[in-house]
């Protein structure tokens, strides 16, 4: 179980869940992300791989690109990334490159999660940056959005 979640954490995850709903409406896997810096959400994103024909169009990637643009810096020290699903290997690499301070995710991903589920890259020597990880915030709600999306496709 995660830490005692703050109101700020819940607000960050609610913003990510809103983005996941936008993704679902667009026919994308419903994963959303939000970047918070100094208590303010500076950017959001949702999965766009299908609509953009871009394999890197994951919610985390989109949100971090938007945050870098909003802050006019490719580095995001002090930022917290909220994401509705545990990040994959690709996204963990970008999180490290962006120098994100903390990652908070909702649902665990036993198939592709790279922060403890399928694998754990959090202490990899290949990453030159360490960040705090907190999983399980609104996990049931985040997982339900994914389950509903995939059930509707069957």
């Amino acid at each position: 179980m995660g830490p005692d979640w703050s109101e700020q954490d819940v607000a960050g995850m609610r913003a990510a869940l809103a983005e996941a709903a936008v993704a679902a409406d667009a026919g994308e896997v419903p994963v959303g992300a939000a970047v918070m810096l100094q208590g303010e959400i500076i950017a959001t994103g949702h999965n766009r791989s299908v609509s953009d024909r871009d394999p890197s169009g994951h919610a985390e990637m989109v949100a971090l690109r938007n945050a870098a643009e909003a802050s006019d810096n490719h580095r995001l020290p002090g930022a917290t990334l909220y994401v509705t699903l545990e990040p994959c290997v690709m996204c963990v690499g970008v999180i490290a490159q962006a120098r994100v301070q903390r990652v908070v995710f909702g649902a665990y991903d036993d198939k592709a999660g790279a922060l403890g589920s399928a694998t754990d890259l959090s202490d990899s020597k290949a990453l030159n940056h360490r960040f705090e990880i907190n999983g399980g915030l609104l996990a049931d709600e985040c997982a339900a959005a994914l389950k509903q999306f995939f059930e509707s496709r069957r």
Side-chain angles (χ1 to χ4, degrees):
M1 201 68 183
D4 291 331
W5 302 109
S6 69
E7 287 182 30
Q8 192 168 284
D9 286 336
V10 173
M13 189 59 74
R14 290 265 174 237
L17 277 162
E19 285 292 313
V22 172
D25 288 345
E28 298 275 358
V29 175
V31 178
V35 179
M36 189 176 288
L37 189 60
Q38 297 176 341
E40 299 290 325
I41 293 173
I42 63 165
T44 58
H46 57 270
N47 274 3
R48 300 188 50 87
S49 295
V50 175
S51 56
D52 288 353
R53 294 171 196 81
D54 178 2
S56 72
H58 289 197
E60 301 94 321
M61 301 282 274
V62 175
L64 289 170
R65 283 182 190 130
N66 291 341
E69 188 172 326
S71 65
D72 198 30
N73 191 345
H74 68 292
R75 304 281 194 223
L76 300 165
T80 297
L81 172 68
Y82 295 91
V83 60
T84 58
L85 183 65
E86 180 181 356
C88 71
V89 170
M90 174 182 69
C91 292
V92 170
V94 172
I95 289 163
Q97 289 299 313
R99 306 296 193 265
V100 168
Q101 178 178 329
R102 181 172 174 239
V103 175
V104 177
F105 65 87
Y108 288 84
D109 185 352
D110 293 335
K111 293 180 182 175
L115 292 178
S117 292
T119 192
D120 189 353
L121 296 180
S122 64
D123 64 353
S124 172
K125 290 179 184 176
L127 298 179
N128 60 351
H129 173 71
R130 301 287 176 261
F131 48 89
E132 181 182 340
I133 303 159
N134 301 120
L137 175 57
L138 303 179
D140 291 344
E141 199 170 330
C142 294
L146 289 159
K147 184 178 179 183
Q148 180 181 5
F149 176 81
F150 287 113
E151 284 178 352
S152 74
R153 296 254 186 253
R154 290 186 181 119

